[in-house]
Amino acid sequence: MSTILRPLILVSIWTLLGCQTQNDKPPIRPNILFAIADDASFPHMGIYGTSWIKTPGFDRVAQEGILFMNAYTPNAKCAPSRACILTGRNSWQLEEACNHWPIFPEKFKTFTEALPAAGYSVGYTAKGWAPGIAKRNGQPRDLIGQAYNEHKTTPPAKFISNNDYAENFRSFLDQKEADQPFFFWYGSTEPHRAYEFGAGINYGNKKITDIDQVPPFWPDSDSIRTDMLDYAFEIEYFDSHLEKMLQILADRDLLDNTLVVVTADNGMPFPRIKGQMYEMNNHLPLAMMWPTGIVNPGRKENSFVNFIDFAPTFLNLAGITVEASGMQPVTGQSLTPILYDLRNYADNEYRNHTLIGKERHDVGRPHDVGYPVRGIIRNGYLYVENFKPDRWPAGNPETGYLNTDGSPTKTYILDHQKDTGMEDFWIRSFGKRPPQELYNLDQDPYCLNNLAGDKSLEETQMKMKKQLYDELKSQGDPRILGDGDIFDHYPDASPAAGFYERFMRGEDIQAGWVNKTDFEPVEKAIN
């Protein structure tokens, strides 16, 4: 880093953190490239040690910046996860926007709507905040600035988007003023389903033997391994456009003062992961790079980082206070102390744990009700409370377990659920759950052994529950304050609203994320 730039940056960060100096300088406002994959779990980037996925773009960002080991979304589904990013608030603080496919409340301004007032050019390509409806005064409201989707390309496999993400980023840069700072959201639609079966093998030169381990909550079969390789192939496509964007920035001499953030919105679209409340769905990949800004690059960061931290970080670096932004109060905390390696941040109580939760994701239960859960991760343990354990967590059997995307893996588990030795796979992915769950993540990262009720861990469970409830109360969570059913009463804005009643009346409803064979009578399913 330049010996001239470093002192200016450090002075700026102290100013932004509220520490006054006699020679305050205006902050050096970075450009920001925010790259978000659609449905990718930790640790599914190469640098985390996953050998069957090659991600040189992500790996470069981590090697030249910071690799985060404990990044979590509060609500692991597309719309609520992205709403948390944009507002800096936990999903249970966002009214309708806590749910999937909501009507986004007008009262919640996003940081991307605040940045233009500070001189930033803001835009995005492909998937921004979605799915749902956002309006202001009855008119469409784009929460992430202007869309850049004009350029198309020939995708390498069926179902991969034809959006030329990198060229659309180039178009965005072409239209902005030369010295204008920018925020750009690269919203890949990969590795969201559907996949072309066998694409990873046929086009990516992959072999089913490349996978060192199939998660033990699924059977180990060739079709499931092939499904995993197709997922890997789509992550690599996301990463290939990230590489191109880094080169575009370098060619324009913009890379040095651009904060590059790479992550995903929720975990992989497979049974027991996407839409559920275990480790592989909420725990996500994250790397950040900023050549003239990050102090001591090339490090791993073990402190907890939450998606609600992005908004205050970006406002902070742009020189905007939350109050001046016009946004609702922010719950997250700026990551600037981590970027600048101010070691006291590790002593922050906020950085030693994280909260997670959900309400309604995809419909498919009677009256479109959700599956409310809250949880806390701390000291190597995950504590989860299921508030409606009488409901089906992945959706009702007779309506296809709609909160689990249709896939070869889902089909295999459903087709073989009654086979000898296969029942546990169905139970873990689709069966009903107890009111409380507790897992030792260090010893049991796949969350297979529920320790709730274990006498030796009674104090641990009690303390985690108390902290969870205390923090949720302080954040005004209706679920804890006695009005949790309000989340079930918010309208679902999707074409599949009222799915259960409509399907049971015989209506042929097209739900693009479920296969026809997923539907099964309750009496056929294991109870």
Side-chain angles (χ1 to χ4, degrees):
M1 177 184 291
S2 163
T3 56
I4 296 174
L5 285 176
R6 178 65 65 83
L8 288 175
I9 292 173
L10 290 175
V11 167
S12 298
I13 192 65
W14 281 112
T15 303
L16 290 168
L17 292 173
C19 303
Q20 299 300 313
T21 74
Q22 292 182 340
N23 299 301
D24 285 344
K25 300 281 196 311
I28 297 176
R29 303 190 303 163
N31 308 307
I32 302 167
L33 171 61
F34 187 80
I36 181 167
D38 197 357
D39 301 356
S41 291
F42 178 95
H44 293 158
M45 299 288 170
I47 197 169
Y48 284 121
T50 301
S51 61
W52 44 278
I53 303 178
K54 309 299 182 185
T55 53
F58 183 93
D59 297 356
R60 177 189 174 184
V61 172
Q63 290 162 348
E64 298 182 20
I66 304 173
L67 180 65
F68 291 83
M69 306 304 291
N70 285 297
Y72 286 80
T73 179
N75 190 330
K77 198 77 169 185
C78 297
S81 181
R82 291 161 189 254
C84 292
I85 293 171
L86 292 168
T87 63
R89 295 168 67 87
N90 286 306
S91 61
W92 45 88
Q93 299 177 294
L94 291 174
E95 299 175 0
E96 291 99 322
C98 180
N99 289 339
H100 197 53
W101 266 107
I103 298 172
F104 195 92
E106 291 190 29
K107 67 189 287 185
F108 295 115
K109 185 176 182 179
T110 67
F111 77 82
T112 37
E113 293 174 311
L115 285 176
Y120 272 71
S121 178
V122 177
Y124 74 101
T125 190
K127 187 170 180 176
W129 172 80
I133 295 173
K135 292 184 177 181
R136 176 172 282 123
N137 299 322
Q139 299 301 312
R141 174 186 174 195
D142 205 328
L143 301 180
I144 315 181
Q146 182 177 341
Y148 288 80
N149 295 318
E150 177 183 359
H151 295 283
K152 306 299 180 184
T153 188
T154 302
K158 190 177 179 182
F159 303 122
I160 288 179
S161 172
N162 68 349
N163 184 313
D164 194 331
Y165 307 122
E167 283 306 305
N168 285 311
F169 177 49
R170 191 192 304 275
S171 289
F172 166 78
L173 294 177
D174 287 342
Q175 63 80 39
K176 78 174 193 67
E177 296 179 11
D179 59 349
Q180 185 181 19
F182 69 81
F183 176 93
F184 190 81
W185 174 294
Y186 160 35
S188 166
T189 58
E190 290 77 41
H192 195 287
R193 292 191 184 274
Y195 305 153
E196 179 181 338
F197 188 74
I201 294 171
N202 296 331
Y203 314 131
N205 298 316
K206 298 181 180 297
K207 305 183 295 295
I208 59 174
T209 54
D210 292 341
I211 296 174
D212 52 351
Q213 182 185 21
V214 173
F217 43 71
W218 304 328
D220 189 345
S221 73
D222 286 358
S223 64
I224 291 175
R225 284 175 172 259
T226 300
D227 200 16
M228 293 172 67
L229 292 178
D230 295 341
Y231 158 79
F233 183 70
E234 294 217 356
I235 290 179
E236 292 174 357
Y237 186 74
F238 158 78
D239 190 76
S240 70
H241 279 267
L242 171 64
E243 282 193 285
K244 293 176 183 177
M245 291 180 186
L246 295 177
Q247 188 59 53
I248 289 170
L249 290 170
D251 292 343
R252 297 179 181 227
D253 295 324
L254 294 172
L255 186 58
D256 282 353
N257 195 38
T258 297
L259 172 64
V260 181
V261 179
V262 192
T263 188
D265 57 356
N266 52 253
M268 63 194 301
F270 284 70
R272 206 174 190 264
I273 301 181
K274 181 180 177 181
Q276 305 309 308
M277 283 284 290
Y278 298 115
E279 173 71 354
M280 287 186 71
N281 194 29
N282 288 80
H283 192 181
L284 300 172
L286 175 63
M288 296 187 187
M289 166 185 172
W290 179 18
T292 59
I294 288 176
V295 175
N296 298 324
R299 54 190 160 97
K300 291 183 179 180
E301 179 53 57
N302 292 308
S303 296
F304 279 90
V305 170
N306 193 295
F307 273 25
I308 61 175
D309 299 334
F310 290 134
T313 301
F314 300 151
L315 292 176
N316 203 177
L317 293 173
I320 310 170
T321 65
V322 174
E323 293 75 16
S325 73
M327 296 171 62
Q328 294 286 331
V330 164
T331 306
Q333 295 189 10
S334 175
L335 297 169
T336 45
I338 295 178
L339 301 182
Y340 287 92
D341 203 19
L342 304 178
R343 298 313 304 171
N344 62 323
Y345 71 76
D347 300 327
N348 184 349
E349 168 73 13
Y350 178 83
R351 294 277 170 229
N352 66 20
H353 71 287
T354 197
L355 304 186
I356 57 178
K358 70 170 185 171
E359 288 291 335
R360 181 174 64 222
H361 281 175
D362 290 316
V363 295
R365 301 181 191 88
H367 311 297
D368 287 347
V369 298
Y371 191 80
V373 190
R374 299 291 186 272
I376 182 171
I377 301 166
R378 180 168 186 160
N379 294 332
Y381 284 90
L382 164 65
Y383 171 73
V384 164
E385 191 150 330
N386 300 304
F387 291 95
K388 303 287 185 179
D390 56 312
R391 299 177 184 174
W392 294 94
N396 281 45
E398 63 271 32
T399 46
Y401 309 98
L402 284 189
N403 203 39
T404 298
D405 292 359
S407 68
T409 301
K410 180 180 179 181
T411 296
Y412 190 95
I413 294 171
L414 292 178
D415 285 351
H416 294 274
Q417 62 182 275
K418 295 295 181 66
D419 293 357
T420 301
M422 295 289 288
E423 290 186 359
D424 279 352
F425 296 119
W426 182 92
I427 290 170
R428 294 193 185 281
S429 290
F430 306 110
K432 292 183 178 179
R433 295 172 185 159
Q436 297 177 326
E437 298 177 76
L438 179 69
Y439 299 97
N440 184 328
L441 297 179
D442 295 331
Q443 299 176 9
D444 181 22
Y446 293 110
C447 301
L448 301 175
N449 183 23
N450 183 13
L451 302 172
D454 187 317
K455 289 294 184 183
S456 67
L457 293 171
E458 187 174 6
E459 184 177 359
T460 296
Q461 182 174 334
M462 179 184 66
K463 286 182 176 179
M464 294 184 77
K465 177 173 182 173
K466 183 179 186 304
Q467 182 175 5
L468 173 66
Y469 272 61
D470 286 348
E471 292 193 22
L472 292 173
K473 285 178 183 177
S474 72
Q475 294 171 13
D477 181 2
R479 179 61 61 186
I480 302 302
L481 297 177
D483 192 25
D485 288 346
I486 191 172
F487 294 109
D488 286 340
H489 297 149
Y490 290 132
D492 181 84
S494 77
F499 190 99
Y500 185 91
E501 285 75 20
R502 292 163 63 190
F503 180 83
M504 298 302 285
R505 288 196 301 265
E507 184 177 339
D508 183 14
I509 310 173
Q510 299 302 311
W513 62 97
V514 63
N515 296 332
K516 289 184 177 180
T517 57
D518 295 345
F519 297 84
E520 54 182 29
V522 175
E523 60 269 17
K524 179 185 174 185
I526 301 168
N527 288 290

